[in-house]
Structures are given as structure tokens and as C-alpha cells.
Amino acid sequence: MLEIKNLHASVGGKEILRGINMSVNPGEVHAIMGPNGAGKSTLSNVLAGREGYEVTQGEVIYKGENLLELEPEERAQRGVFLAFQYPVEIPGVSNIYLLKAALNAVRKYQGLEEVDAIDFLNLVRDRMKLVKMDEQFLHRNVNEGFSGGEKKRNEILQMAVLEPALAILDETDSGLDIDALRVVAEGVNALRAEDRSIVMITHYQRLLDHIVPDFVHVLSEGRIVKSGDKELAKELEKSGYSWVHDAPEGQTA
Amino acid sequence: MKQLTEITTPFGEVAAAKPLPGTELGWLQQLRDQAKAQFERHGLPAKKVEDWKYTSLWQLSQEGFSHDANEVSLGKTELAHVAALEDAYRFVIIDGRLNAVLSEIDNLEAGLSIKPLAEALDQAENMLGDQIDLEKPGLNAINTMLMHDGLALHVEAGQKISKPIELLVISTAENPKLASHLRNLIQVDADAEVTLLEHYVSLAETAGFTDVVTEVKLAENARLNHFKLQHESLAHYHIATLASKQAAGSIWNTNNISLGGKLARNDIHSQLLGEEAHVTLDGLYLVTGDQHVDNHTRIDHAAPNTTSDEVYKGVLDGNSHAVFNGKVNVHKDAQKTDSSQSNKNLLLSRSCEIDTKPELEIYADDVKCAHGSTVGQIDEQHLFFLRARGLDETAARSLLTYAFAVDVLQRIKSAPMRQALSNVIEKRLPKGA
Ligand SMILES: Nc1ncnc2c1ncn2[C@@H]1O[C@H](COP(=O)(O)OP(=O)(O)O)[C@@H](O)[C@H]1O
Ligand SMILES: [Mg+2]
């Protein structure tokens, strides 16, 4: 599904990612953990194609294609989805309009017709239940006046409607209280599928109590310094991130 | 400024050449003489006049517009295509002349009177000219000298008119380079309510000139929902004054949409003369190419407890130039005035230009006045978000442009009106998907 090889990237001349290697197979859930400033959001932005990030070395192969050569929309149309750490508010664009436009963009790439109005409404209603969102949110502008938790749920709603092959969730748990966390986690769990890979970026272990990953990676100073299974996350919780700076490069558990 | 005589001539000669309505009315003759004297003194406003600093009428004065038009008519189906509203009383002016066949003037509902200007003049002595200032730099004097057609709308006390009125002012290819001088008189009596759409449209990309003054008088608790849609050709000049006097408790909701014209200028003036009178001045201008649009608005809070709410938005592309000037004047006795004004502009190109200026003059001490103007570009974060959801860049940009403008439409309460105006605007600003 996704193969990241020796990825180096810099922002404003400063190298942030310093040789990331990672391989994600269909159906797997990977967690990337790491302290603030480690480069987690940088990695997700590079994968989604945000401007301003310069890839200086390495490559990213997604479903056999060179992902880094594609425009952001081409990546999205091919099934790459980024749930943003800080979802933006978009005045004047209603949630339902966004969902429909996004879904139709994917369908167009897949050679399908625009979604039928009634099918679409049924789909959206169904997916809203998954994240326990009230229908009134459909007619509100994207994220405008939403609470932190509502914004995060809205990201998961978009994921649920678009059914991506690869979802990258950037700190979808941050800023959520325990109930909201549970709702979001249940939503994500319901979207786990054999042909869908999920990369969860988080600072805390608590999300991983709800969405149990197949693999855990520790990112520090732009490198993956340790990889393991879910037990690694528990270790991290006990000992914090202070040790990661001392860990030998590329060590695996 | 150019020689006064040069500029005066093309308009001055007309007054003699063309038979104008109401010549038998002494008061009107006097008013026209007064206007002529004013125009001879001041001519067209020069750029050194503060209110005309950014808008030059030099080119207009050189175009050599004619005042003689061949009569043109349209078929009913053709008209239906041009009209913005399906269900409305239509009053149709084609190439400067009332088209009585296409207009609904007789057999209207109770309390509603729609007349051509010429037929309303004999009862218009207290109305005509009362809302405007002849001395004000602009075209009020020319319009008063030369007005030949227009809509006279009157709603009697207590009547709520069931359908909107669409004033259709159509320019065709049959009479290129035609100047029209229109005067509309809108009178809504106490507790009455009506909706009016002034709709200015060209059927071809020919040059023309529309000079229009619309005067509005609202009695106590009267309500006028007043829309204006201007999408004349890109070679057209459109210069308009829209002025009201509002008695206590009256409401004037305006929405002024400028899409067309080589040069479009609106001077909008609300005079809140009675307590609890309210005005909404909303507007949207979409300009591109070499278009120039200038909206000057002025609100006089002349009585206590009056309120005003103003939202003007502009989208500029190409080499276009937009001007917004919003004056709010709170008079000494107008305590508890509540006024808010905003002007927001979205620039889509590097070579467009906006001059925006709010002007507050407050002579009362217990008032609430908020104002602000912004000039910005498409937000890169918004753009990336939409692209990350699969919308291509062009679609994402046009969706964000539409989204910027749409709240002016969302503020329109009547659903059919909102729909009609959205349809026109979406042709210019495709939603993107
Ligand atoms: N646009 C930017 N300009 C300059 N530095 C940046 C920019 N974005 C991120 N950085 C820097 O890159 C580093 C990694 O940031 P980020 O990827 O957001 O970390 P994380 O998500 O792991 O907290 C930080 O030191 C941050 O200050
Ligand atoms: Mg981050």
C-alpha cells in the first residue's frame, strides 16, 4: 500500500524529516508516536502534498505510483486521506456541499457517475451515525463554530464518506475529552477493513487503548527510532519520550 | 477637468431636441431650470471632487451618446428569458422607452399602483426631487433635466403586495450608443409592504449609458425590500442614485448587485428621519477585465433609536478597479443609534485595485457604531484543504470565491428572490464542482 524509503524533507531550508523508512500493508493500522516537534505533522503534510515542504531525498510509493509527483487532489482521488490536526473553518461552504464535491471528485477519477442525490443522503446519514453527529451539522459551514471535538468528528465523517484506501490521522485524539475520544475511536474502528490502511499519529498512548494498532513507531527528530507492536506504546507511557533521544538509530524491537 | 462647454454640449442640446414629459407643469419646469443652471455651473464632477476621486467621467463625456432610439420590442418568451423573476409584476423599459405591451400596469391587486413616470408627474410635486440633492456632484442635475421615462410605484397604506415588482431595463443591439435618463419614484404608505427588483440588462455587448435616479419615500412602518441587479454589457456606463427618506419604524432592505458595465457607479443614500427606522444596505460587486465599479453609500441617522446594517462584498479579477465609500452620519439627536458596516474584498489577480473607505461622523454620544473593511486573497490553507479532499485547484478556487460572496445572498430572506439572484451569480461564479 505505502512504502516510505529514506524520506528527507525540509521546511524553509531546515531539515525536519531525516530519513524515514516505513512500510504499510493493506489492512494494517500503524501508530506513529513521538514528542512535540518530532516531525509527525510534517510527515503527514508531505504525504498529502502540502506546499512548502521540500523533499530532498528518498521516495514514497503508494499503490505502485510515485506519490510525491502527484498533486494533492490526485492523491486524494487515488484514496489518500489526511485527517488534519487543526481542521480549518471554511465560511460559505456547507458541510454537505463539501462531502458531495469530494465524493464526486473521487468517483470521477474512478470513472463513476456523480452520486445520485438520494443515495448520497442515505450514505451521509448512515456515516453520521458512526460518529454520532447530528444532521444539522450537514447544513452548517465546514467547521465554522464547531467545538474542537466536533471538528475532529467532522474529519472522521469525511473519511467515512470517502472510504479512502490510506487514511492518515494526525492527532485526531488531541483536544478530545474521554467521551469524544471513544466516539472517534469507534468511528475509526468501524472503518478498519482488509483493504484499508490507517496511519495514526498521536502524542499519547490513550488513543491506542481504543484503536489497537498492529505496529507502533516512535518518531524523534525526524527519524523513526524504534518500531514494535502495541506493547511499545505501553512502555512509552511508563518511561515517556526522554529516552528516545538516546536510542540508537533505527533500532527495532 | 476638461472644458465645461465640451462636456456640457452633448447633454445640453438634448433638452431642447427631445420632447420631455411634464412640460406643462410649472413646478417641474422650474425644477428643470434649476437643474440646468446647476449643471451649467458645475458640469460633470471632476476627479478633484472628493466623492469622484477614483471615478472619472471623462471617457463617458467623450462617447457621443445619442438620445434617439428606434422602438424595439421583444417576444413574450424572449422576455421571460431575460427576466430574473418568474412570478412578478413586470415593468419593462427597452432602449429607454416604456414597453406598455410587455408591462403589467392595469388590473393590479388592491392598493398597488404602477405607472409610467409621465403619467405620474402631475401628482409628483411633493415627491419628485425631494429625496435627492441637486447640488451634489454627480448626475442628479442631468437626470432632472433630461429624465424621460421610469417607474412610478405606489403602495397604499396597510397593503402587503403579494408579488414582487420587476423593473426591467433592457438595452438591445438595435440602439447602440444610446443614453437613457430614467427616474423611478417609489412610495410606500404607512404599514404597507412591497418588494422591488430593479434589473438592468444588455442583450448584446454594445455600448450604452443608463443614468437612473430612484427616489424612495417610506411612510411610518412601511417596508420596502429593494433589490438591484445590474449586469449590463462590458461597454456600458451605468450611473445611479438611489435615495430614500424613511419615517418612523420603516424598513428599507436593499441589496445591490453589480456584475456588468464598463463603469458602474451607485450613490445610495438613506435618511432615517423617524425613530426606529431601519436600513439594510447590502451589496455585491464582481468585476473583471477593465471594469470599474464604485459604490458610495451614505446613511443619515437623523432620529433616535435608528439602526443600520451594511455588508458590501467585492470580488475583483483582471485589471478591474473597485471603489467603496461608506459614510455613516449620526446626527446630534440620534441617540441610541446602532450601526454596523463592513466591506470585504477578495482580490483574484495582482493587477486589480480596490479603494475602500468607511467614514463615520458621530455627533451623538450614546451610540453603537462598528465598521471595518478588509482586502484579502484566497486563503492557502482553505485551498489546500479542499484539494486534499480531491477538488482540483480550479474547482477549489472557484468554490472558495463563491463561498466568499455567498453570505450576501444568504442574507436575502425571500427564497424565490435569493434563488433568482443566485442563479445569475452562479453563472459568473461557478460553485466549482
Ligand atoms: N512551516 C514551517 N516553517 C518552519 N518550521 C516548521 C514549519 N512546520 C513545522 N516546522 C518545524 O518542524 C518541526 C516539526 O514540526 P511538526 O511536524 O509540526 O511536529 P509534530 O507534529 O511532531 O509536533 C518543528 O520544529 C517545527 O517548528
Ligand atoms: Mg503535529
Side-chain angles (χ1 to χ4, degrees):
Chain A
M1 177 75 70
L2 182 73
E3 193 81 38
I4 305 176
K5 292 179 197 160
N6 190 31
L7 181 66
H8 288 248
S10 46
V11 184
K14 182 179 158 203
E15 185 167 64
I16 310 288
L17 301 183
R18 302 190 298 151
I20 304 245
N21 291 292
M22 195 175 160
S23 170
V24 181
N25 294 311
E28 290 176 355
V29 174
H30 288 239
I32 297 179
M33 302 183 70
N36 280 329
K40 303 184 298 294
S41 292
T42 302
L43 175 62
S44 56
N45 282 323
V46 168
L47 294 178
R50 190 192 281 269
E51 267 177 46
Y53 295 85
E54 196 197 344
V55 174
T56 50
Q57 258 191 74
E59 60 176 355
V60 179
I61 307 297
Y62 168 74
K63 288 186 173 174
E65 270 189 286
N66 181 351
L67 186 73
L68 300 177
E69 276 184 356
L70 302 174
E71 296 293 332
E73 57 268 33
E74 293 173 323
R75 302 179 194 198
Q77 290 157 9
R78 284 161 176 74
V80 178
F81 180 92
L82 169 62
F84 288 85
Q85 181 174 3
Y86 303 107
V88 289
E89 302 191 4
I90 310 209
V93 178
S94 70
N95 240 345
I96 189 155
Y97 190 86
L98 168 75
L99 289 169
K100 199 169 181 181
L103 182 61
N104 280 331
V106 172
R107 288 176 66 92
K108 191 172 168 194
Y109 172 76
Q110 293 170 340
L112 300 172
E113 276 177 29
E114 290 205 349
V115 63
D116 167 82
I118 293 168
D119 293 347
F120 174 68
L121 217 57
N122 288 337
L123 171 75
V124 170
R125 286 197 176 126
D126 179 66
R127 298 304 142 97
M128 289 190 94
K129 282 189 210 130
L130 213 60
V131 285
K132 299 199 164 59
M133 271 173 91
D134 191 275
E135 261 191 52
Q136 55 123 339
F137 283 98
L138 285 180
H139 302 285
R140 285 174 56 180
N141 289 336
V142 177
N143 295 328
E144 197 177 43
F146 287 26
S147 71
E150 287 163 352
K151 285 181 182 169
K152 296 298 175 85
R153 273 192 275 171
N154 206 26
E155 295 288 291
I156 303 305
L157 171 65
Q158 289 158 29
M159 170 180 166
V161 168
L162 295 175
E163 302 182 328
L166 171 66
I168 303 154
L169 313 180
D170 190 0
E171 296 211 22
T172 296
D173 54 331
S174 64
L176 297 185
D177 62 34
I178 191 69
D179 292 329
L181 180 69
R182 199 169 286 141
V183 170
V184 165
E186 277 169 20
V188 174
N189 279 329
L191 293 168
R192 288 179 82 151
E194 272 179 20
D195 54 355
R196 178 171 300 130
S197 308
I198 298 175
V199 175
M200 275 190 304
I201 289 170
T202 180
H203 184 72
Y204 303 104
Q205 124 84 20
R206 62 172 195 167
L207 177 67
L208 310 186
D209 290 339
H210 300 274
I211 310 171
V212 182
D214 301 306
F215 299 94
V216 175
H217 310 273
V218 179
L219 185 71
S220 172
E221 293 177 347
R223 287 196 187 97
I224 288 177
V225 293
K226 207 167 164 84
S227 294
D229 62 9
K230 59 182 196 275
E231 296 307 318
L232 176 58
K234 295 202 174 116
E235 246 175 73
L236 277 175
E237 184 168 48
K238 265 186 257 143
S239 52
Y241 287 112
S242 52
W243 61 271
V244 297
H245 299 292
D246 314 322
E249 271 173 35
Q251 181 190 322
T252 45
Chain B
M1 188 182 150
K2 219 48 203 177
Q3 304 297 322
L4 188 62
T5 45
E6 274 181 60
I7 296 171
T8 320
T9 330
F11 297 109
E13 280 170 354
V14 191
K18 186 162 177 167
L20 293 168
T23 42
E24 71 285 1
L25 302 167
W27 64 268
L28 183 57
Q29 208 47 55
Q30 231 176 1
L31 191 64
R32 283 194 156 129
D33 289 345
Q34 205 184 320
K36 188 159 181 281
Q38 198 280 346
F39 183 65
E40 279 166 3
R41 266 197 313 277
H42 300 290
L44 292 175
K47 286 187 96 170
K48 65 172 186 250
V49 175
E50 182 61 29
D51 274 354
W52 290 86
K53 191 168 158 187
Y54 300 108
T55 298
S56 164
L57 297 183
W58 167 243
Q59 257 191 325
L60 164 71
S61 74
Q62 297 303 300
E63 291 274 4
F65 287 112
S66 107
H67 289 80
D68 286 319
N70 300 318
E71 204 161 329
V72 182
S73 194
L74 293 179
K76 291 240 159 158
T77 29
E78 214 178 331
L79 182 75
H81 279 296
V82 178
L85 298 172
E86 239 168 79
D87 195 20
Y89 296 113
R90 286 182 190 143
F91 188 89
V92 183
I93 292 175
I94 304 178
D95 287 342
R97 285 192 208 199
L98 168 72
N99 186 309
V101 178
L102 296 173
S103 301
E104 288 175 81
I105 295 175
D106 304 316
N107 304 319
L108 302 171
E109 63 188 89
L112 174 64
S113 149
I114 295 177
K115 282 185 190 169
L117 176 74
E119 286 172 34
L121 284 175
D122 58 351
Q123 285 157 48
E125 184 171 358
N126 297 322
M127 171 74 188
L128 194 143
D130 190 39
Q131 281 64 228
I132 60 167
D133 179 4
L134 270 190
E135 299 293 321
K136 192 173 178 293
L139 298 194
N140 286 349
I142 289 184
N143 185 278
T144 303
M145 280 158 67
L146 302 180
M147 60 187 173
H148 49 78
D149 270 288
L151 161 71
L153 169 67
H154 182 200
V155 182
E156 284 171 25
Q159 300 291 339
K160 304 226 180 319
I161 303 308
S162 66
K163 284 202 288 188
I165 289 109
E166 180 169 355
L167 163 62
L168 258 162
V169 178
I170 302 171
S171 301
T172 75
E174 300 300 314
N175 291 294
K177 289 241 165 175
L178 178 71
S180 306
H181 305 274
L182 308 175
R183 175 73 58 108
N184 302 311
L185 304 174
I186 316 298
Q187 234 176 318
V188 187
D189 291 349
D191 303 303
E193 177 173 350
V194 67
T195 296
L196 169 68
L197 169 64
E198 291 182 53
H199 184 184
Y200 299 86
V201 57
S202 302
L203 300 187
E205 281 303 310
T206 40
F209 172 32
T210 305
D211 151 38
V212 54
V213 173
T214 300
E215 297 191 65
V216 172
K217 202 186 275 289
L218 302 183
E220 288 190 4
N221 303 316
R223 180 196 284 255
L224 173 62
N225 304 311
H226 195 160
F227 298 85
K228 175 171 176 178
L229 173 61
Q230 185 275 113
H231 56 138
E232 288 157 323
S233 91
L234 296 177
H236 203 92
Y237 296 81
H238 182 99
I239 299 191
T241 288
L242 188 54
S244 76
K245 277 191 178 172
Q246 296 184 238
S250 66
I251 296 176
W252 191 33
N253 290 324
T254 71
N255 197 310
N256 166 31
I257 296 173
S258 269
L259 308 177
K262 174 191 178 73
L263 185 158
R265 161 87 178 212
N266 290 293
D267 279 275
I268 301 180
H269 186 193
S270 159
Q271 301 167 73
L272 302 167
L273 304 178
E275 286 208 39
E276 285 173 21
H278 171 82
V279 64
T280 299
L281 297 184
D282 282 356
L284 177 64
Y285 42 94
L286 309 179
V287 280
T288 184
D290 294 317
Q291 285 185 284
H292 180 103
V293 62
D294 180 346
N295 286 302
H296 268 65
T297 70
R298 176 184 171 119
I299 301 166
D300 274 285
H301 288 270
N305 291 305
T306 49
T307 53
S308 63
D309 183 9
E310 177 165 16
V311 175
Y312 263 73
K313 285 198 159 184
V315 178
L316 287 72
D317 205 345
N319 298 315
S320 64
H321 185 186
V323 182
F324 174 81
N325 182 289
K327 276 200 186 74
V328 176
N329 197 314
V330 181
H331 295 212
K332 189 159 66 59
D333 301 323
Q335 300 297 356
K336 307 272 182 213
T337 284
D338 188 337
S339 162
S340 93
Q341 179 193 78
S342 94
N343 172 234
K344 293 187 174 154
N345 297 282
L346 178 64
L347 310 189
L348 298 179
S349 77
R350 286 174 184 279
S351 47
C352 54
E353 187 184 335
I354 169 78
D355 292 287
T356 170
K357 185 174 170 197
E359 276 184 65
L360 265 67
E361 281 182 40
I362 303 174
Y363 300 101
D365 44 34
D366 183 13
V367 302
K368 239 166 69 186
C369 286
H371 67 95
S373 63
T374 62
V375 177
Q377 284 149 355
I378 286 197
D379 186 312
E380 290 298 323
Q381 292 211 44
H382 293 172
L383 193 61
F384 177 63
F385 173 77
L386 293 179
R387 295 179 71 190
R389 291 293 174 266
L391 278 72
D392 67 47
E393 188 174 348
T394 315
R397 278 186 190 279
S398 65
L399 177 58
L400 290 171
T401 307
Y402 178 84
F404 169 83
V406 77
D407 64 336
V408 174
L409 294 173
Q410 283 169 348
R411 281 164 63 95
I412 299 173
K413 288 188 190 79
S414 145
M417 184 67 76
R418 190 170 57 240
Q419 192 57 54
L421 297 177
S422 301
N423 289 347
V424 176
I425 284 169
E426 278 176 36
K427 281 191 198 127
R428 275 288 293 278
L429 290 184
K431 261 181 163 178

